[in-house]
Amino acid sequence: VGDPNQLRPVITIDESLHEGLKKRYGVTKNYDYMQMSILRLMHTVDSISKFILLRYHYRCHRDIIAFANKKYYNNQLILETGKTKESSVQLHKVTNDIRDTHRHMAPAEAEVVKKIVSTYKDKKLSVGVITPFRRQKHLIEETLGDELASRVEVGTIHSFQGDEKDVIIISSAIGEHTPETTFDWVKNNKELINVGTTRAKKRLEVVADTEALEKLSRKKSNDLSDLCQYIKTKNTKVVEEKVDPFYRTRAEGLKPLNTEFEREFFKTLSHITSIHTSLHIREKVGIKSVFEKNPLFTKEELDYYFKGEFDFVVFNRMTDKALMAIELDGSDHYSIENVKRRDEKKESICKKQNLYLLRVPNDYARRYELIRDSILRALKG
């Protein structure tokens, strides 16, 4: 159980000791625990198990979770939180002193955080303040004073993993003279930004020197600047996706992740054609290369005709005529709407061309007799 977009474990073992242990016991790259969590290890070495995305989201206001959903989750989360007219995200622009941000502190941001905290007088509301740097954490606590500090929890992101608050305030503590290496660590730290923003249930407030962010970003998109722009434009900015490859493949069950199933299935098909020699199998065949376009195709079907492909096509070895198409289906084909719509177009195209389309769940990739009988029965009738 886990999420590749959440924080990885913190490993404190000395690197030289770690390398020595790896060499001594023959630990391969996949099992390097300084680089690979148990979740990523499974994603890497386990090609059989199903990986199921927990898609229903119940915590955050829609305005809050929408950013992470677009940025990190490929818009696959189903949002179960209610809709409200009021926006639940706000950006507070500040100008940080260049001398302070060099030391990972931003007094101007701490003062703004204090003002924000003072507006939340309802003791029933839980409030958290998150910052990337310990020095900024301590500065914010000092600036708040005892009374306000008693109302909130202030910490770096690791202290909030698994937690949630009604209100989350994020202080970036980034200024124009923040060292480039420091900015590189913060700007695309998806674990920091994803976990930080999604701790908020009702309201998210981001305090940042946006002009400094723009200069440091040098007109290149990054997670932190995208978050600020998303809030600044009232959620209308087109968020550039940054979906983790492990998430896109294994957790969603998409085709690129099913390569092991496809290899096993191709072995099964090859065994069938070695016995039934009149048949020939090709993989990843473009639809437009199988048959001519049909005037009965709809505009959507015609567009997919030029772009789509079949997983496998069975041909007559002598005439090279396509006899049937085969699709190996992962869990996405039954649960993700855009994949289901794509499958419907493919099926409609095949029906208009009188080409039989056989759909096989990837769990059946190794079931030789069942696949063989299905193919032969389809070809006969």
Side-chain angles (χ1 to χ4, degrees):
V1 177
D3 180 350
N5 292 315
Q6 300 282 318
L7 292 167
R8 290 184 293 174
V10 177
I11 308 298
T12 57
I13 187 173
D14 180 78
E15 188 172 349
S16 60
L17 175 59
H18 169 68
E19 291 300 322
L21 289 170
K22 278 176 59 181
K23 185 175 181 179
R24 180 176 178 180
Y25 293 103
V27 179
T28 62
K29 181 180 179 181
N30 285 343
Y31 292 86
D32 184 338
Y33 52 83
M34 288 193 77
Q35 304 297 326
M36 304 284 283
S37 66
I38 291 177
L39 178 65
R40 281 188 176 266
L41 169 63
M42 285 192 65
H43 284 175
T44 303
V45 303
D46 181 358
S47 59
I48 302 301
S49 299
K50 289 183 179 179
F51 289 81
I52 301 169
L53 169 65
L54 302 180
R55 299 173 64 201
Y56 290 86
H57 182 86
Y58 298 93
R59 178 191 295 136
C60 305
H61 185 285
R62 287 172 178 247
D63 288 348
I64 299 170
I65 191 59
F67 175 79
N69 194 20
K70 293 175 183 177
K71 189 77 176 175
Y72 306 116
Y73 292 97
N74 201 29
N75 275 323
Q76 297 305 317
L77 297 181
I78 298 173
L79 309 185
E80 291 294 331
T81 44
K83 295 181 179 180
T84 60
K85 292 182 179 180
E86 300 83 17
S87 175
S88 209
V89 292
Q90 186 171 351
L91 176 65
H92 302 266
K93 301 178 186 178
V94 302
T95 300
N96 287 325
D97 189 295
I98 60 175
R99 295 165 296 180
D100 294 312
T101 52
H102 188 73
R103 300 195 301 271
H104 300 164
M105 291 191 299
E109 289 189 20
E111 290 294 339
V112 173
V113 169
K114 181 178 180 179
K115 290 180 182 178
I116 297 170
V117 171
S118 65
T119 64
Y120 292 103
K121 302 183 185 299
D122 187 348
K123 294 182 179 180
K124 294 181 181 179
L125 281 177
S126 57
V127 181
V129 181
I130 298 174
T131 181
F133 309 113
R134 287 192 183 91
R135 287 187 176 182
Q136 181 68 358
K137 168 191 177 295
H138 296 315
L139 178 61
I140 290 172
E141 289 174 329
E142 291 175 7
T143 304
L144 287 175
D146 293 341
E147 183 183 348
L148 288 179
S150 66
R151 299 188 200 172
V152 302
E153 179 180 344
V154 185
T156 58
I157 186 58
H158 286 83
S159 64
F160 281 87
Q161 173 92 323
D163 199 358
E164 60 183 34
K165 301 290 182 185
D166 292 317
V167 180
I168 286 290
I169 305 164
I170 295 179
S171 171
S172 70
I174 295 292
E176 189 175 341
H177 282 238
T178 294
E180 188 173 344
T181 53
T182 301
F183 182 60
D184 286 343
W185 175 72
V186 174
K187 70 180 182 182
N188 283 320
N189 192 329
K190 64 169 185 173
E191 296 168 346
L192 170 73
I193 296 171
N194 179 47
V195 175
T197 56
T198 57
R199 298 310 92 196
K201 294 165 63 178
K202 297 179 179 179
R203 190 160 182 81
L204 173 67
E205 314 232 17
V206 176
V207 183
D209 186 335
T210 54
E211 290 187 8
L213 284 179
E214 289 179 12
K215 290 180 181 179
L216 290 168
S217 299
R218 297 171 185 169
K219 297 184 179 180
K220 292 182 180 179
S221 174
N222 60 70
D223 293 19
L224 184 56
S225 63
D226 275 4
L227 173 63
C228 292
Q229 284 296 317
Y230 168 80
I231 299 173
K232 181 180 177 181
T233 59
K234 301 186 184 302
N235 315 344
T236 59
K237 174 180 166 57
V238 178
V239 176
E240 183 179 326
E241 285 189 359
K242 188 186 174 184
V243 181
D244 186 295
F246 284 105
Y247 173 84
R248 188 186 292 279
T249 52
R250 298 311 302 271
E252 290 184 7
L254 298 179
K255 281 287 171 87
L257 289 172
N258 294 331
T259 53
E260 184 63 25
F261 288 114
E262 290 176 352
R263 284 195 293 269
E264 292 294 337
F265 190 66
F266 190 67
K267 288 180 184 176
T268 303
L269 294 178
S270 298
H271 188 45
I272 293 172
T273 57
S274 69
I275 297 173
H276 300 274
T277 55
S278 63
L279 304 178
H280 175 60
I281 308 287
R282 295 178 195 157
E283 57 182 330
K284 299 298 180 186
V285 181
I287 294 176
K288 62 184 177 63
S289 68
V290 176
F291 37 65
E292 298 292 330
K293 64 180 179 180
N294 191 315
L296 296 178
F297 287 165
T298 65
K299 185 177 182 300
E300 286 188 345
E301 289 170 351
L302 188 62
D303 182 63
Y304 191 69
Y305 165 83
F306 288 106
K307 296 178 181 179
E309 63 179 15
F310 295 116
D311 287 344
F312 305 91
V313 177
V314 180
F315 292 89
N316 181 304
R317 190 181 295 273
M318 296 297 293
T319 64
D320 206 35
K321 178 184 177 182
L323 303 176
M324 67 182 298
I326 304 174
E327 288 293 288
L328 188 62
D329 292 344
S331 59
D332 52 315
H333 291 263
Y334 309 101
S335 60
I336 299 177
E337 289 303 319
N338 62 331
V339 177
K340 289 161 69 174
R341 287 194 296 271
R342 186 185 66 201
D343 289 345
E344 289 171 359
K345 284 186 282 190
K346 190 175 290 186
E347 290 171 2
S348 179
I349 289 172
C350 287
K351 187 175 182 180
K352 289 177 180 178
Q353 291 296 140
N354 295 316
L355 183 72
Y356 184 80
L357 176 62
L358 175 65
R359 312 205 74 94
V360 180
N362 58 19
D363 294 347
Y364 288 48
R366 297 174 177 172
R367 299 184 64 174
Y368 169 77
E369 292 183 1
L370 178 65
I371 294 168
R372 179 200 62 194
D373 292 344
S374 298
I375 291 174
L376 296 180
R377 186 166 55 250
L379 290 176
K380 286 180 181 178

